Amino acid sequence: MTPRARRLAFGFITATWACSPADEGAQREEVARRASAGVAVNGLRINGTSLNGLRVNGTSLNGLRVNGASLNGLRINGASLSGVNLVGGELRGVAPDGSPIGGASFAGVEAQALLSDASTLTLRIDGARSSGDLWLYEVSYPTASGPKPLCGLDAAGAPIEAIALAGRWNLAEGVPGGGSWIDDPAMFTFGCRDAALAKCVELGYKPWASAGGISLRSHHQACTRLIRADYCGNGQPGTLDGWQINLYDALGIQADTESGAAWVFEGKWGPAGAVCVDEYRLLELVASGPVPDCALAKLTGTCAAGGFAGGVLLQSEYNSAGLIELVRDIVNGSPDAKLADKVEDALAELEGAFAELAESPPDRLAAVGKLEDAVGDLKATINAGTLPPGYGNGLANRITGVARFQATATIDANACGAKKPSELTKAKLLRAEGDKRRSTGDYKGACGKYKGAIDKAEDALGSPCPP
């Protein structure tokens, strides 16, 4: 799907099926088909090993997470294993009697895991099974009330399995190095199947394997960034949990198999996060929360061009239908006709604004004009007492932030060699006035100032400054 061909649709794609036995087989087949086609459920967690609120033998693990397990000192029936290593995703070693041990024979093996506060925790492999060329492990840890599954339980109440991965990950969020793989030969990580580390393996990016002579280690790391929308490459997720994404590569592991108006190009990815993000992606970010500064810096209307050049390993699309539902729910769920009308108007303006930004080049002036109208409609519902101020002002503030970005982008695009430098100065002053209005909650007035800044900056007739 090209940027020019994109549009939003109101049809909301879900992943729910009836629970009757007759439908279970169809459900499993559809899940397998979509996974093999590169469609995944986006998620916030890099791993599922959060032990929040649980206690181990009276020691609180509140807020702690497992940060790798040691390959040294694994024990079975109280006796140490030797020569333990990972062959692909299979744990292997030598039993106390000198015989090789691996695969399903690792049931009963215990390992020492490192927690995020540098303390340790005993993990027990309760079972292991092969699934295709992968080994899946059922892992637990002891508590005063009995063993607890490391990865939690699935919807059917069964323990969620894990995949063994070499090394460990920096589990910090929002800091340099967050979310990065750490090459630690003495450690391995149990990646829970409901979180990014294992999801990316099951999508085909096995970090121990290669394709076409290219190691998939970096593809796996890029996938973990993509799955969590870790734009900045610092471990900070930037998505709404549970949204569908479609990812593909140039190696033939995943192809772009999804189509339809709801699938919108998102961005390009490498091991360090997003290489670039399409401007249209802002439409979801507006509703999901504050937009990271680094994501704004990577926004471009030409991200979809150029294929996989420049270190790009993966590309992604997201299902845009859910975003509009956040606003649509206000319309459908409100018994107040005035509220529904005003939010419907705001919804139409939002769609129009981002359609302008989807153009190449984007029409920033027209887009901000529509954002100004959207904010005005939302503010009217707040003033009338029909829309909760907390939600309404939060959404209006985010929309205004998008308008400010458009003003800044236009100023930057004319920052050097301006034929009318006085117009550029006026643009910066208008942006500053917009910031003041935004700080007081006058979001419509702020958008108006940002719109004026764009107009003046365009009149300056300059060009971007060289790097």
Side-chain angles (χ1 to χ4, degrees):
M1 177 168 36
T2 65
R4 298 286 298 223
R6 295 170 306 191
R7 64 178 179 84
L8 288 175
F10 292 129
F12 189 51
I13 295 179
T14 63
T16 58
W17 293 266
C19 296
S20 66
D23 290 334
E24 289 180 357
Q27 176 180 347
R28 287 193 296 270
E29 290 177 5
E30 176 64 8
V31 169
R33 184 196 71 78
R34 296 184 74 82
S36 65
V39 177
V41 176
N42 211 347
L44 301 178
R45 296 184 301 166
I46 191 169
N47 205 354
T49 52
S50 173
L51 303 178
N52 195 35
L54 301 182
R55 300 175 65 86
V56 177
N57 297 326
T59 301
S60 175
L61 292 178
N62 193 38
L64 300 184
R65 292 188 288 181
V66 174
N67 193 16
S70 175
L71 283 167
N72 299 316
L74 270 70
R75 303 172 66 85
I76 186 166
N77 298 325
S80 296
L81 302 180
S82 60
V84 179
N85 63 351
L86 267 171
V87 179
E90 181 188 2
L91 286 164
R92 295 181 184 177
V94 179
D97 63 2
S99 61
I101 182 175
S105 299
F106 254 68
V109 169
E110 294 182 341
Q112 290 299 305
L114 179 68
L115 295 177
S116 51
D117 68 345
S119 61
T120 60
L121 174 69
T122 298
L123 301 180
R124 184 181 190 277
I125 298 175
D126 297 318
R129 67 182 182 90
S130 62
S131 177
D133 60 348
L134 293 177
W135 277 92
L136 305 177
Y137 295 91
E138 188 177 316
V139 186
S140 66
Y141 62 96
T143 74
S145 59
K148 297 285 186 181
L150 177 65
C151 296
L153 302 174
D154 64 18
I160 296 172
E161 296 168 310
I163 296 173
L165 299 166
R168 56 192 177 90
W169 272 260
N170 183 336
L171 301 181
E173 296 182 357
V175 299
S180 297
W181 177 65
I182 299 171
D183 186 4
D184 187 340
M187 303 290 288
F188 73 97
T189 296
F190 279 123
C192 299
R193 295 185 73 191
D194 64 340
L197 296 184
K199 281 182 180 179
C200 288
V201 173
E202 295 191 89
L203 284 166
Y205 304 111
K206 303 175 179 68
W208 59 82
S210 62
I214 298 174
S215 169
L216 295 179
R217 166 62 62 191
S218 292
H219 281 75
H220 180 266
Q221 182 63 30
C223 176
T224 66
R225 303 291 194 191
L226 185 160
I227 285 282
R228 305 175 71 234
D230 181 2
Y231 300 107
C232 304
N234 63 4
Q236 183 66 48
T239 184
L240 293 176
D241 204 6
W243 281 35
Q244 286 185 331
I245 54 174
N246 177 37
L247 65 157
Y248 45 97
D249 57 71
L251 300 178
I253 296 173
Q254 293 291 348
D256 183 9
T257 57
E258 296 301 312
S259 61
W263 288 101
V264 176
F265 184 82
E266 176 186 21
K268 298 181 178 182
W269 301 84
V275 176
C276 64
V277 183
D278 193 85
E279 282 194 325
Y280 208 66
R281 173 62 161 156
L282 268 177
L283 182 56
E284 181 199 342
L285 295 177
V286 165
S288 63
V291 184
D293 288 342
C294 82
L296 291 175
K298 295 178 180 181
L299 288 170
T300 169
T302 59
C303 187
F308 289 88
V312 175
L313 301 182
L314 301 175
Q315 297 189 46
S316 61
E317 298 173 343
Y318 73 101
N319 193 307
S320 66
L323 170 69
I324 297 300
E325 293 302 307
L326 294 177
V327 183
R328 175 69 65 185
D329 284 347
I330 301 175
V331 177
N332 293 338
S334 173
D336 189 300
K338 291 182 179 180
L339 170 62
D341 288 344
K342 280 296 182 183
V343 178
E344 182 79 28
D345 291 343
L347 177 65
E349 296 294 346
L350 274 176
E351 289 181 296
F354 285 96
E356 300 288 358
L357 294 178
E359 296 296 322
S360 183
D363 189 339
R364 300 186 193 279
L365 189 61
V368 172
K370 294 181 185 301
L371 294 178
E372 180 184 14
D373 291 339
V375 167
D377 290 330
L378 289 175
K379 195 65 176 179
T381 64
I382 297 169
N383 293 339
T386 53
L387 183 67
Y391 181 91
N393 282 317
L395 184 55
N397 185 35
R398 293 176 205 148
I399 294 171
T400 305
V402 176
R404 187 189 191 280
F405 169 74
Q406 303 306 324
T408 299
T410 310
I411 290 171
D412 291 346
N414 293 275
C416 286
K419 295 180 180 179
K420 297 180 180 180
S422 62
E423 297 299 289
L424 194 63
T425 299
K426 293 176 184 177
K428 293 178 181 178
L429 289 173
L430 284 167
R431 181 179 62 181
E433 291 177 21
D435 292 346
K436 289 180 181 178
R437 295 203 176 202
R438 186 185 181 194
S439 68
T440 65
D442 180 9
Y443 302 119
K444 182 175 174 64
C447 285
K449 294 297 182 181
Y450 295 143
K451 183 173 67 174
I454 293 172
D455 190 30
K456 293 299 181 183
E458 288 178 345
D459 288 344
L461 301 176
S463 59
C465 295

